[in-house]
Amino acid sequence: MSSLTVQDVTKSFGATPVLTGIDLHVPSRSLTALLGPSGCGKTTLLRLIAGFDDPDTGRIAVGDRTVTGAGRGVPARRRGIGFVPQEGGLFPHLSVAANVTFGLPRRERRDAGRVRDLLALVGLDAALAERHPHQLSGGQQQRVALARALAPRPSLVLLDEPFSSLDAALREDTRQAVADALQASGATAVLVTHDQAEALSMADQVAVMRAGRLVQLADPQTLYRHPLDLDIATFVGDAVVLDAEVRGGQAHCALGVLPLERPCPDGPIRILLRPEQVQLGERTGGTPTARVHSVDFYGHDARVLLDLPSGLRVTARLDGHTLPADGAEVSLSITGAALAFPGGSAAVPAGRAELADLG
Ligand code: ATP
């Protein structure tokens, strides 16, 4: 398997720029998720890598081999790239075995052992080999599509929102099977998704795209904990964003006085907390209080909306076992530190900010 390098790639459709100055390196045997809202250019970038379309400028290389740019243009079929489209794109009139071996030389297509190995790689029973696509579930079809993409041992596998048509339970299982198969085959992979949970849970690195630009490239934990701006922060997860004022190295805000992840000069800022940092306790003197507005129970955890006396509403994410009732008065504490971003508004009143030291 090879690495992928995208250098300064731009693409316009007519007068409309769709990709601007994209730089991306995907190390060999790793999975990168392209994450971004609808229309930000994810599929366009994937299509340029696959060779279905040409960039206006820039260079794309698979391993050491330039496939587009610098005067070269290797056709899609010669790039050694496997592609898994949104809904599998299996040939309806062919059996599973014939679908999986479609891209192989004729001699290898008759090798039943090869089909069995490829189906095992994606977690499917060899008994499915003679079925047709309409006799498979959506998740099984996606796994067959991946087996087909992996069959010719491509340098790189591209997956375009491969789980979007699956329901929630099937999506989790299929994601896991696909991640396992990619890892077992040592594949280098690029996955397009607009689902942040999918990107964070599956990828080694996540490339966040916005309006045709790549705005952050980081491993999932760094992206979630240290997003470069508040738009990225709120796109990759639920967020509590508050105005605050830095005094003496701490953030004074409606939730009290909080430590900061990184030193910050005195003045107004905005701070980011994640809902799982907000903890509830019995009401006691001296700590900030809130009234429970509502509880969305998901089983394993719950999202609790809390109204602060100032009128602000913040979100807490709590485990599903110990939940407050709607309307309950609770006290709040914060675990960990807040992340600071420029752009705070008016100073936070000292009286409220110093209600408690929550650090
Ligand atoms: P989604 O998640 O909805 O699939 P995306 O991030 O993959 O979105 P793209 O499909 O890459 O976005 O499209 C990016 C922009 O380019 C959109 O505004 C789209 O309308 C435009 N676009 C894509 N393909 C073409 C085309 N062939 N001709 C003209 N405009 C196009």
Side-chain angles (χ1 to χ4, degrees), residues 136-209:
L136 302 176
S137 72
Q140 289 168 332
Q141 289 184 28
Q142 286 308 103
R143 294 188 201 202
V144 173
L146 178 65
R148 181 177 64 182
L150 291 173
R153 298 190 180 89
S155 309
L156 177 69
V157 180
L158 307 177
L159 304 105
D160 187 6
E161 305 231 19
F163 315 110
S164 57
S165 60
L166 307 180
D167 64 45
L170 192 55
R171 201 179 310 153
E172 296 247 324
D173 285 353
T174 312
R175 263 186 211 158
Q176 190 60 53
V178 166
D180 290 348
L182 289 170
Q183 199 169 31
S185 63
T188 307
V190 178
L191 167 78
V192 160
T193 179
H194 58 260
D195 179 334
Q196 50 87 14
E198 187 165 297
L200 295 180
S201 65
M202 287 188 73
D204 298 298
Q205 63 174 4
V206 181
V208 182
M209 294 182 63

Side-chain angles (χ1 to χ4, degrees), residues 13 18 37-44 161:
F13 288 112
V18 171
S38 182
C40 70
K42 307 179 293 292
T43 300
T44 302
E161 305 231 19

Side-chain angles (χ1 to χ4, degrees), residues 335-348:
T335 58
L339 207 56
F341 292 92
S345 60
V348 177

